[in-house]
């Protein structure tokens, strides 16, 4: 035993207190280190369980797009993914209980939760906390986009001319349009998920047997631009807002294409897909260019306001998981019109956008109203393609759909590339969060 010298003041003797102080400091330091280890364990367990919950909710949410899915199917899928993602993780003694998966079929959302209890090794020793209980959750929304595409294609007389590579433009269009259908179908959509309509136009549009059910006049199945208050709207046809039928009395350039339009077809159905291609093969280039009528009927085909007219082929309501697309193609300036919002045209063959009632003027009015008609974020997207088109026609197309959605093609390869790029832009078929 060692003693302090007698001449040293009692208060100055601290050899034993240093050891005690050091011991206390080390105990506190070790406790904090232990708490840091517990916190690290907690963060590790929380992160891995959260990742497993996220994977489970997203996998289960994908089932909600299948019409036959039940609540039990969703719960089983979520539980399987949760367990599979956790099986190789070290959970440091954590216990899990009450895993749940709750689907909302209306919003396409699945919420997953689980109760977790993690023992605190060092905090327990410090008598501050025996275990940490928490209940992480995850919610995923998955909606496969439903595509509705209206192909508004120029089959006017000038389409018989050759493109830059020598191929007749009408033949190039037939080939590329059928390839477009195959490319969409190659995405293996579920029934009803991708529907495409066809509107070949020239001086008018032949709507086939549907013409007999529409108010208006004429002796054939072709329709022209509307007049009156409904001229630039998607108001459904009625006696108050009729669909105009064509005649040479309205415009000496009037003609009626032989090929009929096709309403929205489900590409999953092989017979409808074959009919679609057969119709494309029957294209016969002839007549003037009433592109504004094509744009209007592309709108009618995609508008839910026309559900009563199209019947089983009706477009869906506007929604965040329904992508409505119009593809408007021309090889020349629009040059054939019939009505001027209720009055006779002064120059029915004018190509001047500044002249009220001209085909370009009506087209711009229609395109503007298409973009404004749908709720925010759900508008119809208009892609435009100028196939060997003059500069003034390209300017019109850019104004109609926007510069970012405009394609210029001078030959078959460029036309094919234009449609291929549109397919790429359309087939990101998932909205997930």
């Amino acid at each position: 035993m060692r003693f302090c010298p007698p001449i040293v003041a009692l208060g100055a003797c601290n050899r034993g207190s240093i050891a005690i102080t050091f011991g206390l400091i080390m105990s506190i330091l070790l406790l904090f280190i232990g708490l840091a280890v517990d916190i690290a364990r907690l963060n590790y367990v929380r992160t891995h369980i959260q990742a497993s919950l996220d994977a489970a909710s997203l996998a289960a949410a994908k089932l909600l797009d299948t019409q036959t899915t039940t609540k039990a199917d969703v719960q089983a899928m979520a539980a399987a993914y949760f367990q599979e993602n956790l099986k190789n993780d070290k959970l440091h003694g954590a216990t899990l209980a009450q895993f749940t998966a709750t689907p909302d079929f209306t919003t396409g959302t699945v919420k997953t939760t689980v109760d977790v209890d993690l023992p605190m090794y060092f905090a327990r020793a410090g008598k501050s906390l025996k275990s940490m209980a928490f209940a992480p959750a995850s919610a995923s929304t998955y909606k496969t986009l439903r595509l509705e595409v209206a192909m508004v294609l120029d089959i006017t007389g000038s389409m018989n001319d050759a493109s830059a590579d020598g191929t007749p433009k009408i033949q190039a269009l037939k080939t590329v349009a059928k390839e477009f259908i195959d490319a969409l179908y190659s995405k293996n959509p579920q029934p009803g998920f991708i529907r495409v309509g066809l509107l070949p136009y020239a001086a008018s549009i032949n709507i086939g047997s549907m013409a007999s059910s529409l108010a208006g006049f004429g002796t054939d199945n072709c329709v022209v631009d509307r007049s009156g208050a409904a001229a630039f709207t998607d108001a459904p046809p009625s006696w108050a807002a009729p669909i105009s039928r064509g005649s040479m009395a309205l415009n000496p350039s009037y003609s009626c294409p032989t090929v009929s339009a096709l309403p929205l077809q489900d590409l999953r159905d092989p017979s409808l897909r074959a009919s679609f291609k057969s119709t494309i093969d029957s294209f016969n280039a002839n007549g003037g260019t009433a592109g504004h009528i094509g744009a209007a009927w592309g709108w009618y085909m995609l508008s839910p306001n026309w559900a009563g007219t199209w019947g089983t082929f009706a477009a869906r309501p506007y929604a965040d998981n329904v992508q409505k697309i119009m593809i408007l193609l021309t090889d020349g300036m629009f040059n054939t019109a019939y009505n001027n919002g209720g009055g006779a045209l002064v120059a029915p063959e004018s190509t001047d956008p500044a002249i009220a009632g001209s085909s370009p003027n009506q087209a711009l009015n229609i395109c503007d109203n298409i973009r404004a008609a749908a709720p925010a974020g759900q508008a119809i997207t208009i892609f435009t393609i100028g196939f060997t088109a003059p500069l003034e026609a390209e300017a019109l197309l850019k104004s109609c759909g926007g510069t970012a959605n405009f394609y210029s093609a001078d030959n078959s390869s460029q036309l094919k590339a234009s449609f291929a790029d549109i397919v790429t832009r359309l087939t990101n078929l998932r909205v997930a969060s």
Side-chain angles (χ1 to χ4, degrees):
M1 180 178 293
R2 301 182 66 182
F3 297 94
C4 292
I7 60 173
V8 177
L10 183 60
C13 183
N14 57 8
R15 292 178 179 177
S17 65
I18 291 175
I20 294 171
T21 301
F22 178 76
L24 289 173
I25 292 173
M26 287 302 296
S27 297
I28 294 172
L29 182 61
L30 288 173
L31 179 59
F32 275 105
I33 292 173
L35 288 173
V37 171
D38 274 342
I39 292 172
R41 290 172 56 244
L42 175 63
N43 288 336
Y44 176 89
V45 170
R46 187 189 296 274
T47 298
H48 284 258
I49 290 178
Q50 186 65 54
S52 297
L53 285 172
D54 292 344
S57 63
L58 182 56
K62 293 179 181 180
L63 292 179
L64 299 184
D65 269 322
T66 304
Q67 294 180 353
T68 57
T69 296
T70 65
K71 183 177 180 180
D73 294 332
V74 172
Q75 292 170 333
M77 176 67 78
Y81 263 76
F82 183 68
Q83 294 299 330
E84 181 66 21
N85 278 274
L86 279 181
K87 71 178 184 181
N88 295 322
D89 289 330
K90 295 179 180 179
L91 297 183
H92 299 286
T95 57
L96 309 181
Q98 300 298 321
F99 173 81
T100 62
T102 307
D104 185 329
F105 287 86
T106 301
T107 63
T109 301
V110 173
K111 181 179 180 180
T112 53
T113 62
V114 68
D115 293 335
V116 184
D117 191 82
L118 178 67
M120 297 284 102
Y121 297 151
F122 294 95
R124 183 188 186 99
K127 297 183 180 181
S128 58
L129 186 66
K130 293 184 178 180
S131 65
M132 175 66 73
F134 56 100
S138 173
S140 291
T141 300
Y142 184 104
K143 293 183 178 181
T144 301
L145 290 177
R146 273 74 166 173
L147 290 180
E148 295 180 344
V149 183
M151 298 178 69
V152 183
L153 306 179
D154 185 337
I155 58 168
T156 59
S158 58
M159 288 291 288
N160 283 316
D161 299 338
S163 66
D165 60 6
T167 305
K169 288 182 283 186
I170 192 66
Q171 186 57 51
L173 177 60
K174 291 179 183 181
T175 300
V176 172
K178 289 186 293 184
E179 290 175 349
F180 176 76
I181 298 303
D182 288 337
L184 288 178
Y185 174 68
S186 70
K187 303 304 176 180
N188 194 30
Q190 295 187 40
F193 275 29
I194 298 181
R195 298 193 301 155
V196 183
L198 187 63
L199 288 160
Y201 73 91
S204 59
I205 292 179
N206 188 330
I207 58 172
S209 59
M210 194 175 75
S212 62
S213 65
L214 299 178
F217 57 89
T219 58
D220 54 33
N221 292 328
C222 281
V223 292
V224 297
D225 40 14
R226 303 173 81 175
S227 61
F232 308 130
T233 76
D234 64 340
S238 66
W239 288 107
I243 299 300
S244 297
R245 306 281 287 279
S247 73
M248 295 184 71
L250 289 172
N251 188 328
S253 297
Y254 172 76
S255 62
C256 180
T258 57
V259 59
S260 299
L262 289 178
L264 294 172
Q265 312 284 303
D266 182 1
L267 290 191
R268 187 71 179 181
D269 187 318
S271 63
L272 293 178
R273 202 163 59 252
S275 173
F276 206 98
K277 291 184 177 182
S278 176
T279 300
I280 292 173
D281 280 330
S282 70
F283 284 177
N284 179 33
N286 183 55
T289 309
H292 67 296
I293 301 174
W297 277 85
W299 187 10
Y300 305 158
M301 182 173 286
L302 297 171
S303 171
N305 290 338
W306 275 58
T309 302
W310 294 110
T312 57
F313 301 103
R316 293 182 175 88
Y318 293 113
D320 59 0
N321 68 324
V322 179
Q323 191 172 7
K324 295 176 181 285
I325 305 297
M326 184 193 303
I327 301 174
L328 176 61
L329 177 146
T330 187
D331 75 332
M333 196 62 181
F334 301 166
N335 60 18
T336 305
Y338 303 86
N339 297 297
N340 184 15
L345 282 171
V346 175
E349 297 181 3
S350 173
T351 62
D352 187 351
I355 294 180
S358 68
S359 183
N361 178 271
Q362 292 195 55
L364 292 176
N365 276 290
I366 290 167
C367 291
D368 287 344
N369 289 344
I370 288 173
R371 290 191 296 270
Q378 300 172 9
I380 295 171
T381 300
I382 305 173
F383 291 105
T384 57
I385 302 174
F387 189 21
T388 71
L391 292 178
E392 61 266 32
E394 290 192 351
L396 174 67
L397 293 176
K398 290 176 184 178
S399 296
C400 181
T403 301
N405 293 338
F406 169 74
Y407 296 86
S408 178
D410 290 326
N411 55 50
S412 301
S413 296
Q414 291 176 356
L415 184 64
K416 180 176 182 177
S418 299
F419 273 93
D421 190 67
I422 292 173
V423 170
T424 300
R425 294 173 67 176
L426 294 187
T427 51
N428 180 20
L429 299 178
R430 190 182 75 179
V431 175
S433 60

